[in-house]
């Protein structure tokens, strides 16, 4: 049974930092596309960052809205995905959800939610 569990929820002042984690059980992060999506009520789920965990070089994607302010990383040994966010803005507020799917081919991972078949429940970040 696959489970992705996010943590790191909290309320942060604008300009602050927050680190989110996504731990997997029943699933290994090797050779997989991993992503952080942001869900805001009334808006479509948006990919904030994606990363490929297998061989193939740097294949990280960042949404323009967060580029330069966030960094996605993963620890395959711990089956944990991270999102380090800094210089937070009120518009960064939302439910951050991690997602994954297996892929053996390297390259930039997709930003479309339908491509991902495993999802966490999300962790709320509120920036004021």
């Amino acid at each position: 049974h696959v489970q992705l569990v996010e943590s790191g929820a909290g309320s942060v002042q604008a300009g602050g930092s927050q680190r989110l984690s996504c731990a997997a059980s029943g699933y290994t992060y090797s050779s997989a596309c991993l992503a952080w999506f942001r869900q805001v009520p009334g808006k479509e789920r948006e990919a904030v960052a994606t990363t490929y965990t297998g061989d193939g070089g740097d294949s990280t994607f960042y949404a323009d809205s967060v580029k330069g302010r966030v960094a996605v990383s993963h620890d395959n040994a711990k089956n944990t995905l991270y999102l380090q966010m800094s210089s937070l803005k009120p518009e960064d507020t939302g439910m951050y959800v991690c997602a994954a799917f297996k892929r053996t081919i390297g390259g930039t991972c997709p930003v479309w939610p339908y491509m991902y078949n495993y999802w966490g429940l999300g962790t709320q970040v509120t920036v004021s």
Side-chain angles (χ1 to χ4, degrees):
H1 177 62
V2 176
Q3 274 193 314
L4 304 182
V5 180
E6 300 92 339
S7 59
S11 296
V12 188
Q13 287 193 337
S17 299
Q18 194 81 347
R19 189 194 195 204
L20 307 182
S21 300
C22 175
S25 60
Y27 190 85
T28 57
Y29 277 168
S30 60
S31 297
C33 276
L34 307 179
W36 285 100
F37 288 84
R38 180 169 61 213
Q39 183 72 60
V40 177
K43 294 187 177 181
E44 291 188 0
R45 187 169 287 189
E46 173 194 21
V48 174
T50 71
T51 188
Y52 180 66
T53 65
D55 295 330
D58 184 8
S59 55
T60 302
F61 161 85
Y62 295 106
D64 287 342
S65 60
V66 301
K67 199 170 292 182
R69 300 189 295 114
V70 306
V72 62
S73 61
H74 55 88
D75 185 331
N76 286 1
K78 295 182 178 179
N79 283 333
T80 302
L81 174 70
Y82 303 98
L83 187 69
Q84 178 68 50
M85 303 187 292
S86 59
S87 301
L88 284 165
K89 304 176 181 179
E91 50 264 43
D92 294 322
T93 295
M95 181 73 74
Y96 285 76
V97 186
C98 65
F101 75 94
K102 286 291 189 180
R103 194 177 78 178
T104 57
I105 300 173
T108 304
C109 292
V111 300
W112 307 287
Y114 74 86
M115 295 291 293
Y116 294 80
N117 55 2
Y118 293 109
W119 292 84
L121 295 180
T123 189
Q124 177 70 32
V125 175
T126 302
V127 185
S128 59

